[in-house]
Amino acid sequence: MNDVPLKLFNSLTRKQEVFTPVHPGTPGVAGQEAEARVYTCGPTVYNYPHIGNLRAYVFADVLGRTLSWKGYNLTHVINITDVGHLTDDADEGEDKLEKMAAQKAQSIWDIARHYTQAYWEDIKALNIRQPAHWPIATDYVPQMIEFAKNIADKHCYELESGLYFDTATVAEYGQLARAITAEEHESEHARINTVEGKRHAADFAIWRNTPPGEMRQMEWESPWGRGAPGWHLECSVMGEELLGFPFDIHTGGIDHREIHHPNEIAQNQAFCHSDASGANIWMHNNFLVERSGKMSKSSGEFLRLQLLIDKGYHPLAYRMMCLQAHYRSELEFSWEGLGAALTRLKRLVIRIEGLNPHDRAALDNRADSAPAADMPASARAAAWANGGRIGQAIERFDAAMSDDLNTPIALTVLEEVAAFKKVEPAEKLAAIAAMDTVLGLNLLSLTRASLRMRPKDAIITEAEIETALARRKEARVQKDFTASDAIRDELAAKGVEIMDGDPFGWDWKLG
Ligand SMILES: [Zn+2]
């Protein structure tokens, strides 16, 4: 067991590759496990994250959990961009944070703090593990200036508006964006870039000077003038500072594959005096799409996680929705789809709740008697399962996750285990617990009640519902069906549906 190598799709080579750590450690020695160093492009904190953006962090979290499962000592970095990200992908437009601060007439630092906090709350609600580092871009400006000074002579040129990177000075610029041809790539840059004086359309600002006569809330002195770092520079610098080049894996949304990441790569090549990209594997999750168009920003219903919660959905239903699709596939969002994901999660939780509390105690004992702590979780789980149906299921689960994080298959394996008959319940629980360290659905602590629909605009409290249901139960015992039906109608008028007889249903449902 655990001979199955972890294979990941590398956007740079456009194929699956076996993960080979840059820092292999000493195999078999506790405390000296091989490392996995992962950098994930984080949010620009000028607004609440859209659930489509959050998909990128669920994906990065599943990657990190899988690396831990396979026995690697994970160091994960997710940055917070609080300066330098323009409203346009090009080098024009305003800084997203400066613009929002001006609109709201607030300090840019307050804006950044507020939306960083909101982002962290979403991260927590989605059960995404804390990375080792959350670097904030403005804390790294001196290092960014040093990095830029290092590459300026050979790779950059100055214009009035700032310091620009000459993309012709590095090998194979834009290789990552090979989905489109070099010419198309150039014309795409030409379309969005009109900065005068640039040598090539793809050249980009690594330092932007504050235009004469203007004042920015965030600006720093530099050898090129007073201004702010470019967004691409920030990620190169924080990655280098915290993980060192080369590190193992760089992740981000697929929207970063055409411009942001090729630009990071160009800077890394310049900094390292090498053709290497700075990370061994580049991974990108696909988009969340919403085809009906009903939920676009223009309809006023901005799809942030809190909206899902306000409509009554548990946030982990969205995590389930993400796991149901492979990260490289588009994921279509609809309320019906979210409802189906919630039901799927609920079915699992009900099965697990049905296992005896005594078995949960046995599970704890099992954890204590686990074999050698230096074994990867995957191998440990297989060792105690010791073959049999559970052991085979763990191997299939491991194979699915090792196959470029195939969560849709892994989920079905977990569901099979939850439905197994004639298997010792404690063993079942232990297997589910092990698999859930990778999927992160919190299956052992969620309850049926916690997954109940809880719309924010409900006109009746849960306590009132429970009281009415108790009265109804009493009426039914007394065979007073008129009273019982009256209570049902009373509740229905307040949006409560009573669900008798559905083994996987709730006793009632709101909304
Ligand atoms: Zn980035």
Side-chain angles (χ1 to χ4, degrees):
M1 172 66 195
N2 204 40
D3 293 323
V4 183
L6 175 61
K7 284 191 188 161
L8 301 170
F9 185 85
N10 188 352
S11 300
L12 203 55
T13 56
R14 307 256 153 171
K15 51 180 197 240
Q16 275 200 16
E17 292 174 9
V18 171
F19 175 73
T20 312
V22 175
H23 303 90
T26 312
V29 180
Q32 293 185 40
E33 293 83 6
E35 290 184 47
R37 301 188 183 182
V38 180
Y39 185 94
T40 296
C41 283
T44 301
V45 285
Y46 72 107
N47 203 341
Y48 297 107
H50 185 278
I51 58 167
N53 301 127
L54 292 172
R55 188 185 183 196
Y57 307 105
V58 172
F59 150 63
D61 183 50
V62 169
L63 170 66
R65 286 168 177 269
T66 304
L67 287 161
S68 300
W69 162 259
K70 300 294 273 183
Y72 297 103
N73 191 356
L74 175 72
T75 305
H76 193 184
V77 173
I78 307 178
N79 72 285
I80 302 286
T81 296
D82 56 352
V83 66
H85 194 165
L86 303 191
T87 49
D88 200 321
D89 237 355
D91 290 318
E92 289 190 299
E94 298 165 77
D95 184 298
K96 287 183 171 179
L97 272 120
E98 294 270 350
K99 186 180 171 191
M100 186 54 107
Q103 264 174 19
K104 296 204 157 184
Q106 277 180 15
S107 142
I108 201 163
W109 300 98
D110 289 343
I111 298 271
R113 208 172 300 121
H114 175 78
Y115 291 113
T116 302
Q117 204 53 48
Y119 167 74
W120 281 337
E121 278 164 24
D122 287 355
I123 289 294
K124 197 169 163 217
L126 289 171
N127 200 28
I128 290 168
R129 297 195 304 186
Q130 291 278 334
H133 306 279
W134 287 113
I136 293 175
T138 47
D139 289 341
Y140 287 79
V141 175
Q143 291 93 323
M144 291 169 196
I145 293 173
E146 279 309 307
F147 188 112
K149 272 159 71 176
N150 247 303
I151 63 173
D153 284 354
K154 273 194 173 165
H155 299 275
C156 303
Y157 56 91
E158 278 188 75
L159 296 177
E160 202 182 323
S161 52
L163 184 69
Y164 284 77
F165 192 97
D166 183 339
T167 50
T169 63
V170 291
E172 291 194 79
Y173 171 77
Q175 188 198 1
L176 187 64
R178 264 190 308 149
I180 50 181
T181 65
E183 293 75 35
E184 281 169 335
H185 198 227
E186 181 77 355
S187 73
E188 171 69 6
H189 280 284
R191 186 182 64 75
I192 57 173
N193 274 289
T194 50
V195 176
E196 241 174 82
K198 285 205 317 192
R199 292 179 190 164
H200 315 94
D203 294 354
F204 56 91
I206 67 174
W207 185 268
R208 286 184 317 109
N209 292 334
T210 306
E214 274 186 35
M215 269 282 283
R216 291 171 47 99
Q217 285 194 49
M218 283 183 175
E219 54 181 18
W220 294 262
E221 292 298 338
S222 85
W224 314 284
R226 191 164 44 85
W231 173 42
H232 317 301
L233 179 66
E234 298 174 5
C235 280
S236 279
V237 170
M238 291 183 277
E240 206 281 320
E241 281 285 322
L242 294 164
L243 300 176
F245 292 139
F247 52 85
D248 293 293
I249 304 172
H250 194 307
T251 83
I254 200 167
D255 47 327
H256 293 337
R257 200 182 57 185
E258 312 303 329
I259 293 178
H260 180 50
H261 288 170
N263 291 355
E264 267 189 57
I265 290 173
Q267 294 164 158
N268 300 352
Q269 289 173 308
F271 186 82
C272 298
H273 310 289
S274 143
D275 293 347
S277 70
N280 279 357
I281 299 183
W282 292 75
M283 296 176 76
H284 297 94
N285 64 283
N286 212 322
F287 290 114
L288 179 87
V289 293
E290 196 279 306
R291 290 210 167 80
S292 74
K294 280 184 210 142
M295 291 169 293
S296 63
K297 284 187 200 179
S298 58
S299 73
E301 215 172 47
F302 179 60
L303 257 189
R304 52 178 288 221
L305 194 63
Q306 190 59 45
L307 178 68
L308 275 50
I309 297 168
D310 288 349
K311 285 186 183 280
Y313 297 91
H314 193 285
L316 289 176
Y318 179 62
R319 184 175 176 109
M320 171 62 102
M321 196 179 190
C322 291
L323 297 178
Q324 289 180 160
H326 189 264
Y327 75 91
R328 288 203 292 123
S329 308
E330 278 190 349
L331 171 61
E332 184 163 357
F333 181 85
S334 67
W335 293 110
E336 296 73 27
L338 184 64
L342 177 65
T343 302
R344 191 172 180 187
L345 181 59
K346 185 186 67 177
R347 281 172 181 269
L348 261 174
V349 165
I350 288 172
R351 284 205 189 274
I352 294 162
E353 270 190 334
L355 297 167
N356 198 316
H358 160 79
D359 298 325
R360 294 191 176 223
L363 173 65
D364 294 336
N365 294 337
R366 165 100 45 182
D368 292 341
S369 65
D374 59 321
M375 282 169 85
S378 52
R380 266 206 314 275
W384 62 249
N386 195 20
R389 288 166 78 200
I390 292 276
Q392 285 162 17
I394 288 172
E395 289 197 7
R396 280 190 291 132
F397 178 88
D398 180 61
M401 292 311 297
S402 303
D403 179 19
D404 195 27
L405 315 179
N406 197 333
T407 52
I409 301 282
L411 258 178
T412 58
V413 175
L414 190 152
E415 283 169 328
E416 279 174 39
V417 170
F420 271 169
K421 297 206 167 64
K422 294 183 192 157
V423 167
E424 200 195 317
E427 200 145 306
K428 227 156 114 166
L429 261 183
I432 291 167
M435 293 176 187
D436 198 38
T437 62
V438 180
L439 298 176
L441 288 168
N442 251 351
L443 292 173
L444 268 57
S445 46
L446 280 180
T447 59
R448 176 198 312 226
S450 68
L451 289 173
R452 232 172 217 151
M453 292 291 286
R454 291 183 157 83
K456 194 181 162 197
D457 57 5
I459 51 171
I460 183 167
T461 66
E462 288 186 38
E464 286 166 343
I465 296 171
E466 294 296 348
T467 309
L469 284 178
R471 274 196 291 127
R472 179 169 176 265
K473 199 171 166 193
E474 183 55 28
R476 279 158 68 108
V477 169
Q478 306 293 332
K479 303 215 183 312
D480 184 352
F481 296 109
T482 317
S484 154
D485 288 351
I487 295 169
R488 169 184 282 262
D489 294 346
E490 205 179 285
L491 286 170
K494 290 180 175 167
V496 181
E497 187 188 336
I498 299 176
M499 306 165 90
D500 297 320
D502 172 2
F504 286 113
W506 283 279
D507 308 334
W508 52 266
K509 182 174 131 186
L510 243 178

